[in-house]
């Protein structure tokens, strides 16, 4: 009789070369239950991350250590399902938030914006650690920081509207990235020099996969800080900045 | 102006473009574009109206002006009036019934397909239920050849997709070996490179070519780099089998991809000239997907499914070996959930097949879409029934480079088993010779000492 159920796979030795789900055996010709449940669990974590919410109170309390007031805003996307289907609404502030920002117009260098994006869990877990590494770098060269903004149901481009309204020279948004099966807590950082509403990706620079097991806080801060210094010295950001930034390809 | 009166209420549709958009089954991308029907009734009113539109109107009313768009020019200039003649008297609704008729066979459809424009295909698909999209596609056969034969009735193939986040040669090779030992890779062994640098792409091409030659595998390779990179590598004598490019249905979208028809023509001729196919010379591999034109802000108010069908006009100009609609990759703002992804995949497969293309589907979703493995199982099974040429084969469904979920090597084995489908004939013989399957197609246990394990790694 042919052996049809395999408990192990002779390819297991190859697993050291890739994180891909190779050598997972088979039950008949199907994926064995154990592997199938592992996959399901990873997907469940990713789904939970997409539907997670910013821990606003906890974040505001933790952000106090940086001695910067915190402003709490909301995009025009009213709820998660709408956020997922209408990226245009996630790029704009709602009416109340626009009003709230009217009192902030003292010129500053950098506006730091924190948004849930596609994983609020990433922000809840990793943003304070990242800021602890990053803010001292800004202070070391006397960048004037605007009040920190926390925005719910936000997309990347909302940072440009916020920073422009606040009269900041540069916007830096720290936003939860789309969760993968292997990581659900990555932060992406996007910066725009002379931000204004309507700019698109070619005006921005991005540092992604920021999390302790990816690009760690210290490495990420170093990259972000380098990009921001370059942006200020060359008075631009985006494609043109990236092309000349040799340090990024180290 | 098109109109229809329902219970005293007059529905007006300014032009064919708007009528098509309003008649489209609901999906988030058309809502995002602000062009979809505003009520259930309006959608059906549009479908009833569309059913009465003569096919001839599509030849006289371009949905994107001829002067503005080279895809429109391609569609109009290559339309074959002789092929169109047998259906020239039909309305869109008549055409639907004509396609469903038992008298309309694969052969009948092949005779008229040069007379069908993408907009006609899109229009008739909007009137159909899912089962109609399946039943008609099932009648079509689109056979293509390079080192093996893809698309024969009763056969079902896979693209082995061994992606790795850093293009590590050993990492890629490990996934290739895993896939081959699970019977995957007859459509192509195709890698999405992590970078588009010509040197990195050349290394990957060489890697696949070495394995293919060493084990004498009757399949073809592809590294899915930008077409300009592939052209450069052809000139540098890299082992290019299939030439890849993402394409779309408007000139402006293609321009955002950095391509136009002239560049595609050049790459097609260059790849043909390599003459590397052994049983045939279909050399192009195209990928498409609903929503790309909206994403590039280049849709001109045309609904996303019609834009997609227009991409097939581009594809068929080059007699491609494979066309792959990457249906659920783009995200929930275009196709929100399993229902929308399944509908879109069946539409794309149907329209492509009706236009004569060797359609495959990347049965896939991202983590922010309302979909899961069950939805993919449903879609995969439906596509198997519909006679889809190929799907992807990815270790455990999890693409660790592109971060999305597609079909696994095991999924393809499931489909072959439940529907009695077989790999491409040349590849099937190879699997038997290698002791990977028996002559009934049953997967065999792989011995520890199998050559692919011992000698396959670079």
């Amino acid at each position: 009789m042919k052996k049809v159920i395999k408990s192990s796979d002779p390819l297991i030795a190859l697993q050291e070369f890739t994180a891909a789900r190779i050598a997972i055996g088979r039950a008949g010709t199907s994926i064995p239950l154990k592997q199938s449940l592992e996959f399901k669990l990873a997907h469940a974590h990713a789904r939970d991350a997409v539907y997670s919410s910013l821990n606003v109170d906890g974040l505001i309390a933790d952000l106090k250590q940086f001695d910067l007031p915190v402003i709490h805003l909301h995009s025009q996307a009213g709820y998660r399902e709408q956020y997922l289907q209408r990226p245009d609404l996630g790029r704009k502030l709602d009416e109340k938030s626009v009003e709230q920002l009217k009192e902030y117009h003292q010129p500053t260098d950098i506006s730091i914006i924190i948004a849930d994006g596609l994983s609020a869990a990433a922000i809840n877990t990793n943003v304070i650690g990242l800021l602890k590494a990053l803010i001292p770098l800004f202070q070391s060269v006397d960048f004037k920081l605007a009040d920190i903004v926390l925005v719910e149901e936000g997309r990347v481009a909302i940072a440009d509207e916020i920073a422009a309204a606040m009269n900041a020279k540069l916007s830096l948004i720290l936003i939860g990235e789309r969760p993968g099966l292997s990581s659900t807590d990555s932060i992406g950082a996007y910066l725009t020099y002379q931000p204004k509403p309507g700019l698109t990706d070619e005006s921005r620079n991005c540092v992604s996969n920021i999390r302790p097991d990816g690009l760690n806080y210290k490495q990420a801060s170093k990259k972000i800080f380098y990009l921001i210094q370059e942006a200020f010295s060359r008075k631009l950001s985006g494609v043109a900045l990236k092309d000349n930034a040799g340090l990024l390809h180290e | 102006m098109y109109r229809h009166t329902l219970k005293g209420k007059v529905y007006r549709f300014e032009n064919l473009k708007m009528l098509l958009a309003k008649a489209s089954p609901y999906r988030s991308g058309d809502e995002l574009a602000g062009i979809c029907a505003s009520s259930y009734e309006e959608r059906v009113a549009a479908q009833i109206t569309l059913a009465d539109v003569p096919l001839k109107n599509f030849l006289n009313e371009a949905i994107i002006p001829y002067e503005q768009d080279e895809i429109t020019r391609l569609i109009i200039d290559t339309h074959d009036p002789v092929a169109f003649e047998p259906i020239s008297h039909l309305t869109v609704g008549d055409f639907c019934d004509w396609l469903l008729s038992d008298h309309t066979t694969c052969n009948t459809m092949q005779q008229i397909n040069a007379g069908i424009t993408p907009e006609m295909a899109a229009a008739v698909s909007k009137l159909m239920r899912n089962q109609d999209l399946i039943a008609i596609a099932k009648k079509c056969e689109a056979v293509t050849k390079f080192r093996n034969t893809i698309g024969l009735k009763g056969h079902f193939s896979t693209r082995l997709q061994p992606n790795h986040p850093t293009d590590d040669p050993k990492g890629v090779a490990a996934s290739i070996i895993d896939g081959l030992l699970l019977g995957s890779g007859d459509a192509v062994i195709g890698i999405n490179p992590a970078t588009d640098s010509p040197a990195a792409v050349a290394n990957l091409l060489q890697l696949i070519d070495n394995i293919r030659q060493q084990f004498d595998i009757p399949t073809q390779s592809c590294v899915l780099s930008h077409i300009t990179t592939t052209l450069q590598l052809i000139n540098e004598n890299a082992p290019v089998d299939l030439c890849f490019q993402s394409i779309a249905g408007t000139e402006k979208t293609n321009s955002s991809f950095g391509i136009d028809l002239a560049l595609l023509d050049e790459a097609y001729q260059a790849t043909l000239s390599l003459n590397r196919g052994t049983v045939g010379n279909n050399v192009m591999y195209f990928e498409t997907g609903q929503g790309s034109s909206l994403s590039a802000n280049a849709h001109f108010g045309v609904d996303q499914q019609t834009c997609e069908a227009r991409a097939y006009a581009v594809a068929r100009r080059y007699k491609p070996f494979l066309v792959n609609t990457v249906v659920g990759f783009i995200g929930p703002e275009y196709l929100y959930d399993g229902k929308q992804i399944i509908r879109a995949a069946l539409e794309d497969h149907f329209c492509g097949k009706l236009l004569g293309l060797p359609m495959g589907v990347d049965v896939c979703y991202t983590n922010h879409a309302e979909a899961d493995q069950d939805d993919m199982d449903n879609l995969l099974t439906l596509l198997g029934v519909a006679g889809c040429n190929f799907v992807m084969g990815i270790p455990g469904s999890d693409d660790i480079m592109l971060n999305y979920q597609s079909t696994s090597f095991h999924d393809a084995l499931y489909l072959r088993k439940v529907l009695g489908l077989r790999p491409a004939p040349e590849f099937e013989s190879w699997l038997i010779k290698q002791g990977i399957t028996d002559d009934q197609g049953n997967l065999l246990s792989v011995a520890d000492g199998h050559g692919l394990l011992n000698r396959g790694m670079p």
Side-chain angles (χ1 to χ4, degrees):
Chain A
M1 209 176 84
K2 281 176 197 133
K3 192 180 167 196
V4 288
I5 297 178
K6 301 177 44 168
S7 53
S8 71
D9 194 309
L11 277 81
I12 280 173
L14 297 185
Q15 283 177 333
E16 71 170 288
F17 301 113
T18 177
R21 292 170 196 256
I22 61 167
I24 59 177
R26 56 189 174 90
T29 49
S30 299
I31 293 178
L33 182 66
K34 182 172 176 287
Q35 308 286 345
S36 185
L37 287 174
E38 273 175 20
F39 180 99
K40 220 184 221 181
L41 183 62
H43 185 239
H45 289 153
R47 296 296 292 156
D48 284 341
V50 169
Y51 282 93
S52 59
S53 307
L54 284 182
N55 173 11
V56 175
D57 294 343
L59 286 166
I60 289 176
D62 288 343
L63 287 167
K64 281 196 179 130
Q65 63 186 291
F66 302 114
D67 287 330
L68 290 162
V70 179
I71 313 168
H72 178 200
L73 306 177
H74 205 289
S75 80
Q76 288 181 15
Y79 50 97
R80 192 88 303 214
E81 288 76 7
Q82 188 179 43
Y83 174 87
L84 291 171
Q85 294 182 74
R86 293 289 304 273
D88 54 326
L89 299 180
R91 294 185 197 115
K92 291 180 223 142
L93 286 175
D94 68 7
E95 229 170 282
K96 191 175 148 225
S97 299
V98 172
E99 279 303 311
Q100 252 175 289
L101 278 189
K102 281 191 175 154
E103 52 190 281
Y104 299 89
H105 40 69
Q106 290 297 324
T108 55
D109 294 319
I110 302 171
S111 165
I112 299 175
I113 295 127
I114 299 168
D116 42 10
L118 285 166
S119 172
I123 296 298
N124 293 339
T125 315
N126 289 322
V127 83
I128 300 295
L130 175 61
L131 287 173
K132 273 189 196 168
L134 190 57
I135 287 180
L137 294 177
F138 292 158
Q139 289 165 341
S140 73
V141 291
D142 293 328
F143 275 134
K144 186 167 165 33
L145 300 180
D147 294 359
I148 293 180
V149 171
L150 208 54
V151 57
E152 291 187 86
E153 305 292 358
R155 299 257 174 191
V156 170
I158 204 167
D160 298 337
E161 180 186 352
I162 294 170
M166 295 178 78
N167 204 4
K169 288 193 189 112
L170 181 138
S171 72
L172 171 66
I173 184 168
L174 308 174
I175 188 167
E177 294 187 322
R178 193 180 89 196
L181 287 188
S182 54
S183 71
T184 58
D185 61 349
S186 283
I187 291 180
Y190 294 80
L191 61 97
T192 316
Y193 187 76
Q194 284 185 342
K196 54 175 190 268
L199 294 177
T200 52
D201 285 344
E202 66 262 26
S203 311
R204 301 188 184 104
N205 296 90
C206 170
V207 176
S208 73
N209 195 27
I210 305 171
R211 59 190 168 104
D213 296 330
L215 191 67
N216 67 35
Y217 303 147
K218 211 173 151 189
Q219 295 166 318
S221 299
K222 206 174 131 196
K223 263 191 179 181
I224 294 167
F225 184 55
Y226 169 79
L227 278 169
I228 288 180
Q229 283 187 304
E230 283 291 296
F232 274 99
S233 82
R234 301 181 53 207
K235 301 192 187 312
L236 53 82
S237 62
V239 181
L241 178 59
K242 201 171 193 173
D243 280 349
N244 296 289
L247 196 145
L248 290 176
H249 302 292
E250 67 186 358
Chain B
M1 172 74 83
Y2 298 85
R3 75 178 75 204
H4 187 74
T5 307
L6 273 181
K7 286 190 282 180
K9 182 164 185 185
V10 184
Y11 282 100
R12 291 188 179 80
F13 307 98
E14 205 171 296
N15 52 37
L16 196 51
K17 173 171 84 176
M18 291 175 74
L19 179 61
L20 287 166
K22 301 275 187 188
S24 223
Y26 178 77
R27 64 208 62 198
S28 51
D30 291 339
E31 170 102 54
L32 178 63
I35 56 174
C36 71
S38 53
S39 68
Y40 286 91
E41 186 176 83
E42 187 186 22
R43 179 167 297 110
V44 181
Q47 290 170 350
I48 293 170
T49 310
L50 181 58
D52 286 339
V53 174
L55 291 179
K56 274 183 183 157
N57 283 29
F58 288 78
L59 301 175
N60 304 321
E61 189 181 342
I63 58 163
I64 301 175
Y66 184 90
E67 300 72 23
Q68 269 179 32
D69 185 280
E70 69 171 356
I71 314 302
T72 301
R73 293 196 288 279
L74 171 69
I75 293 166
I76 299 298
D77 296 350
T78 59
H79 182 257
D80 179 346
V82 177
F84 182 62
E85 209 283 323
I87 53 168
S88 62
H89 60 294
L90 302 179
T91 62
V92 177
D94 296 335
F95 187 39
C96 180
D97 291 335
W98 185 89
L99 288 166
L100 286 166
S101 158
D102 289 337
H103 298 292
T104 302
T105 62
C106 174
N107 191 28
T108 333
M109 285 190 276
Q110 279 170 352
Q111 281 168 8
I112 60 150
N113 79 31
I116 306 170
T117 66
E119 290 85 351
M120 292 176 197
V124 74
S125 78
K126 292 177 195 299
L127 307 183
M128 291 180 175
R129 294 167 53 187
N130 283 4
Q131 71 163 258
D132 303 331
L133 297 172
I134 293 169
I136 297 164
K138 170 91 174 170
K139 292 200 264 189
C140 301
E141 192 182 39
V143 178
T144 54
K145 297 176 183 202
F146 191 77
R147 277 191 204 97
N148 58 21
T149 310
I150 301 295
L152 292 166
K153 281 218 181 295
H155 295 261
F156 171 73
S157 301
T158 55
R159 164 189 164 191
L160 202 172
Q161 184 171 313
N163 295 344
H164 187 278
T166 60
D167 294 337
D168 178 67
K170 283 194 159 68
V172 169
S175 289
I176 292 177
I177 292 167
D178 193 50
L180 289 170
L181 290 173
L182 288 169
S184 185
D186 49 346
V188 63
I189 298 174
I191 305 171
N192 298 88
T195 75
D196 208 72
S197 99
V201 173
N203 286 341
L204 290 172
L205 282 168
Q206 201 59 60
L207 170 79
I208 315 176
D209 206 54
N210 289 348
I211 297 178
R212 181 186 67 77
Q213 296 214 40
Q214 189 182 356
F215 295 93
D216 199 19
I217 312 171
T219 191
Q220 33 285 324
S221 61
C222 188
V223 176
L224 286 71
S225 53
H226 193 264
I227 201 162
T228 49
T229 305
T230 309
L231 253 176
Q232 180 186 335
L233 291 171
I234 288 172
N235 291 330
E236 291 166 9
N237 297 316
V240 173
D241 287 347
L242 303 181
C243 176
F244 167 82
Q245 183 55 45
S246 289
I247 55 170
T250 72
E251 179 181 342
K252 195 176 168 192
T253 317
N254 284 330
S255 159
S256 80
F257 293 165
I259 60 161
D260 58 18
L261 293 175
L263 181 60
L264 289 169
D265 287 350
E266 184 189 350
Y268 177 53
Q269 292 306 330
T271 316
L272 270 181
S273 73
L274 298 175
N275 226 359
R276 288 170 62 88
T278 49
V279 300
N281 218 2
N282 299 108
V283 297
M284 301 302 281
Y285 173 12
F286 292 121
E287 285 190 351
T288 64
Q290 291 190 26
S292 61
S293 291
L294 176 57
S295 170
N297 197 19
H299 60 99
F300 300 93
V302 178
D303 69 87
Q304 68 183 34
Q305 190 251 336
T306 302
C307 283
E308 169 73 8
R310 284 168 55 96
Y312 305 154
V314 177
R316 70 175 169 179
R317 175 179 173 89
Y318 304 102
K319 302 177 178 59
F321 184 67
L322 306 167
V323 179
N324 176 21
T325 172
V326 188
V327 69
F329 187 72
I330 192 159
E333 61 267 45
Y334 303 93
L335 296 168
Y336 183 61
D337 56 15
K339 183 181 172 75
Q340 293 180 19
I341 292 171
I342 288 170
R343 173 75 200 183
L346 293 175
E347 289 166 348
D348 294 353
H349 179 254
F350 162 84
C351 286
K353 283 283 173 75
L354 186 60
L355 295 168
L357 291 171
M359 290 304 292
V361 178
D362 192 341
V363 175
C364 65
Y365 64 106
T366 55
N367 287 326
H368 60 325
E370 289 291 326
D372 61 20
Q373 293 298 94
D374 290 336
D375 296 302
M376 298 304 107
D377 288 346
N378 292 348
L379 177 54
L380 175 67
T381 309
L382 295 174
L383 287 168
V385 174
C388 181
N389 283 28
F390 69 101
V391 299
M392 307 309 109
I394 293 173
S397 288
D398 176 8
D399 189 309
I400 58 169
M401 202 284 279
L402 294 173
N403 283 316
Y404 77 124
Q405 287 90 253
S406 181
T407 41
S408 64
F409 303 138
H410 299 71
D411 288 335
L413 294 170
Y414 144 80
L415 200 71
R416 282 176 184 160
K417 187 191 269 181
V418 295
L419 294 177
L421 301 171
R422 297 158 63 179
E426 300 85 348
F427 193 79
E428 187 178 32
S429 304
W430 180 81
L431 290 173
I432 295 167
K433 207 165 72 186
Q434 287 287 321
I436 296 169
T437 61
D438 66 18
D439 54 9
Q440 299 302 307
N442 299 308
L443 206 61
L444 299 172
S445 295
V446 177
D448 282 339
H450 194 281
L452 277 164
L453 289 171
N454 277 351
R455 292 175 282 114
M457 289 299 284

